Amino acid sequence: MIRSLFLSVGMAVIANAGMAACVDQEDMCETPSGGYHIELPETENPPLVVFLHGYGGTATGTLKNRSLVDPLLARGYAVMAPEGSERNGRQSWNFFPGWEGRDETAFLREVVQDASDRFGVDDDHVVLGGFSAGAFMVYYLACAAPDTFSAYAPVSGGFWRPHPEACDGPVRMFHTHGWIDNVVPLEGRLLGGGRFHQGDIFAGLEIWRVANECADTKPSGFSTTGQFMRRRWTGCADGAMLEFALFPGGHNVPQGWSDMMVEWYEGLPGG
């Protein structure tokens, strides 16, 4: 059973089971730079998964994905859904270097600190995940500021071309992608009449191997978890971890992702 909170006039009060803190748009948890919704497990000081919606999505829409949220709550994780900033009339993320708009790294730090202050989440154990444009944001934040969160879990997104020349590191990253994704194909694609170019996912993994100071391009291990075919690189810098999971579907957050990701995270040193 999920403990639920409702924020009102600066106070958190217990609400009916099944409701979530700030779950309605009009009741979003507000911060100086934006807002977020959050759901909390019954445990105190829980670790946190921050999950970023895709282009045109919303924070409310993220929490409606119960196959994503419920397994995380059941395992004792709080789930935060921040609201993207407006881009071209739709909600998205200001991820690409040089674009004008909200400083998303500062915003995400802000909302995590706010949730720590309001709800007591453990801001030392935060996984930043995201889908599609949200995954683009995860990639670029991890590249520029890898120490911001304890691990990164993008789904169906990566870098755009031109790829970064290099990323800071090391990082602990678990990337999941659909084999037949035609929105963010593994090889990338042109957008906006050629003005933008989604990058190659495997080229992005090479950038992470370099940032993580991995000794070899060859994966150090392979495994299968249900529908997921996984490969990992562990012979890297101290604290670094890189894993890639392919599934046979398309552009979506696949069933089973939440449990698989948490098991990966809890297997990390300090996870």
Side-chain angles (χ1 to χ4, degrees), residues 31 63 75 93 116 134 138 170 191 194-195 198 235 245 251 270:
T31 68
L63 292 190
R75 299 183 76 117
W93 304 95
S116 178
V138 173
L191 296 171
R195 291 184 299 123
Q198 292 173 352
H251 193 66

mmCIF file of all heavy atoms in Angstrom, residues 31 63 75 93 116 134 138 170 191 194-195 198 235 245 251 270:
data_model
loop_
_atom_site.group_PDB
_atom_site.id
_atom_site.type_symbol
_atom_site.label_atom_id
_atom_site.label_comp_id
_atom_site.label_asym_id
_atom_site.label_seq_id
_atom_site.Cartn_x
_atom_site.Cartn_y
_atom_site.Cartn_z
ATOM 1 N N THR A 31 8.576 25.116 -7.856
ATOM 2 C CA THR A 31 9.890 25.618 -7.477
ATOM 3 C C THR A 31 10.143 26.894 -8.286
ATOM 4 O O THR A 31 9.386 27.196 -9.208
ATOM 5 C CB THR A 31 10.982 24.574 -7.763
ATOM 6 O OG1 THR A 31 11.118 24.415 -9.186
ATOM 7 C CG2 THR A 31 10.657 23.227 -7.117
ATOM 8 N N LEU A 63 3.374 9.908 -14.566
ATOM 9 C CA LEU A 63 2.841 9.162 -13.429
ATOM 10 C C LEU A 63 1.645 8.299 -13.803
ATOM 11 O O LEU A 63 1.283 7.390 -13.046
ATOM 12 C CB LEU A 63 2.463 10.118 -12.298
ATOM 13 C CG LEU A 63 3.638 10.830 -11.625
ATOM 14 C CD1 LEU A 63 3.171 11.550 -10.369
ATOM 15 C CD2 LEU A 63 4.766 9.871 -11.281
ATOM 16 N N ARG A 75 9.302 -1.263 -4.631
ATOM 17 C CA ARG A 75 10.667 -1.557 -4.207
ATOM 18 C C ARG A 75 11.218 -0.485 -3.282
ATOM 19 O O ARG A 75 12.406 -0.478 -2.947
ATOM 20 C CB ARG A 75 11.565 -1.723 -5.434
ATOM 21 C CG ARG A 75 11.130 -2.875 -6.338
ATOM 22 C CD ARG A 75 12.069 -3.069 -7.502
ATOM 23 N NE ARG A 75 13.291 -3.724 -7.070
ATOM 24 C CZ ARG A 75 13.692 -4.922 -7.493
ATOM 25 N NH1 ARG A 75 12.944 -5.614 -8.346
ATOM 26 N NH2 ARG A 75 14.812 -5.442 -7.064
ATOM 27 N N TRP A 93 12.677 19.413 -23.336
ATOM 28 C CA TRP A 93 13.849 19.688 -22.510
ATOM 29 C C TRP A 93 14.890 20.446 -23.314
ATOM 30 O O TRP A 93 15.129 20.142 -24.481
ATOM 31 C CB TRP A 93 14.433 18.380 -21.960
ATOM 32 C CG TRP A 93 13.405 17.606 -21.212
ATOM 33 C CD1 TRP A 93 12.610 16.604 -21.691
ATOM 34 C CD2 TRP A 93 12.985 17.836 -19.870
ATOM 35 N NE1 TRP A 93 11.738 16.185 -20.715
ATOM 36 C CE2 TRP A 93 11.946 16.918 -19.591
ATOM 37 C CE3 TRP A 93 13.395 18.722 -18.864
ATOM 38 C CZ2 TRP A 93 11.311 16.876 -18.346
ATOM 39 C CZ3 TRP A 93 12.770 18.670 -17.632
ATOM 40 C CH2 TRP A 93 11.745 17.752 -17.382
ATOM 41 N N SER A 116 13.697 16.737 -1.307
ATOM 42 C CA SER A 116 14.399 16.340 -0.098
ATOM 43 C C SER A 116 13.911 17.149 1.098
ATOM 44 O O SER A 116 13.651 16.608 2.177
ATOM 45 C CB SER A 116 15.905 16.522 -0.288
ATOM 46 O OG SER A 116 16.619 16.191 0.889
ATOM 47 N N GLY A 134 13.454 13.108 -23.082
ATOM 48 C CA GLY A 134 13.941 13.030 -21.711
ATOM 49 C C GLY A 134 15.244 12.271 -21.612
ATOM 50 O O GLY A 134 16.124 12.611 -20.812
ATOM 51 N N VAL A 138 19.006 13.325 -20.318
ATOM 52 C CA VAL A 138 19.840 12.514 -19.430
ATOM 53 C C VAL A 138 21.255 12.405 -19.982
ATOM 54 O O VAL A 138 22.247 12.572 -19.258
ATOM 55 C CB VAL A 138 19.230 11.118 -19.226
ATOM 56 C CG1 VAL A 138 20.191 10.218 -18.446
ATOM 57 C CG2 VAL A 138 17.892 11.204 -18.501
ATOM 58 N N PRO A 170 33.965 9.601 -14.462
ATOM 59 C CA PRO A 170 33.166 8.492 -14.993
ATOM 60 C C PRO A 170 31.685 8.647 -14.685
ATOM 61 O O PRO A 170 31.286 9.503 -13.887
ATOM 62 C CB PRO A 170 33.740 7.282 -14.250
ATOM 63 C CG PRO A 170 34.157 7.848 -12.922
ATOM 64 C CD PRO A 170 34.672 9.227 -13.217
ATOM 65 N N LEU A 191 16.083 15.215 -38.803
ATOM 66 C CA LEU A 191 14.857 15.875 -38.370
ATOM 67 C C LEU A 191 14.818 17.299 -38.916
ATOM 68 O O LEU A 191 15.860 17.878 -39.233
ATOM 69 C CB LEU A 191 14.791 15.940 -36.833
ATOM 70 C CG LEU A 191 14.707 14.618 -36.068
ATOM 71 C CD1 LEU A 191 14.886 14.882 -34.586
ATOM 72 C CD2 LEU A 191 13.389 13.926 -36.332
ATOM 73 N N GLY A 194 16.466 18.180 -42.199
ATOM 74 C CA GLY A 194 17.918 18.075 -42.187
ATOM 75 C C GLY A 194 18.615 19.049 -41.260
ATOM 76 O O GLY A 194 19.852 19.024 -41.138
ATOM 77 N N ARG A 195 17.842 19.904 -40.587
ATOM 78 C CA ARG A 195 18.465 20.869 -39.671
ATOM 79 C C ARG A 195 19.042 20.188 -38.427
ATOM 80 O O ARG A 195 19.981 20.694 -37.815
ATOM 81 C CB ARG A 195 17.459 21.936 -39.254
ATOM 82 C CG ARG A 195 17.050 22.888 -40.390
ATOM 83 C CD ARG A 195 16.134 23.987 -39.902
ATOM 84 N NE ARG A 195 14.887 23.460 -39.348
ATOM 85 C CZ ARG A 195 14.460 23.702 -38.113
ATOM 86 N NH1 ARG A 195 15.191 24.439 -37.296
ATOM 87 N NH2 ARG A 195 13.313 23.201 -37.703
ATOM 88 N N GLN A 198 19.657 13.234 -35.217
ATOM 89 C CA GLN A 198 19.843 12.352 -34.070
ATOM 90 C C GLN A 198 21.079 11.496 -34.295
ATOM 91 O O GLN A 198 21.341 11.034 -35.400
ATOM 92 C CB GLN A 198 18.627 11.449 -33.878
ATOM 93 C CG GLN A 198 17.370 12.174 -33.454
ATOM 94 C CD GLN A 198 16.167 11.251 -33.449
ATOM 95 O OE1 GLN A 198 16.247 10.100 -33.906
ATOM 96 N NE2 GLN A 198 15.034 11.748 -32.971
ATOM 97 N N GLY A 235 35.428 -3.144 -16.886
ATOM 98 C CA GLY A 235 36.858 -2.927 -16.728
ATOM 99 C C GLY A 235 37.215 -1.486 -17.008
ATOM 100 O O GLY A 235 37.961 -1.177 -17.946
ATOM 101 N N ALA A 245 21.021 -2.311 -22.781
ATOM 102 C CA ALA A 245 20.005 -3.362 -22.875
ATOM 103 C C ALA A 245 19.137 -3.114 -24.102
ATOM 104 O O ALA A 245 18.487 -2.064 -24.205
ATOM 105 C CB ALA A 245 19.148 -3.397 -21.617
ATOM 106 N N HIS A 251 9.561 2.288 -29.923
ATOM 107 C CA HIS A 251 9.837 3.504 -29.167
ATOM 108 C C HIS A 251 8.906 3.588 -27.956
ATOM 109 O O HIS A 251 7.819 4.171 -28.024
ATOM 110 C CB HIS A 251 9.648 4.718 -30.086
ATOM 111 C CG HIS A 251 10.196 5.999 -29.513
ATOM 112 N ND1 HIS A 251 11.539 6.185 -29.296
ATOM 113 C CD2 HIS A 251 9.571 7.141 -29.118
ATOM 114 C CE1 HIS A 251 11.730 7.400 -28.810
ATOM 115 N NE2 HIS A 251 10.558 7.987 -28.677
ATOM 116 N N GLY A 270 27.615 1.171 -3.552
ATOM 117 C CA GLY A 270 26.940 2.345 -2.998
ATOM 118 C C GLY A 270 25.565 2.567 -3.535
ATOM 119 O O GLY A 270 24.926 3.572 -3.231
#
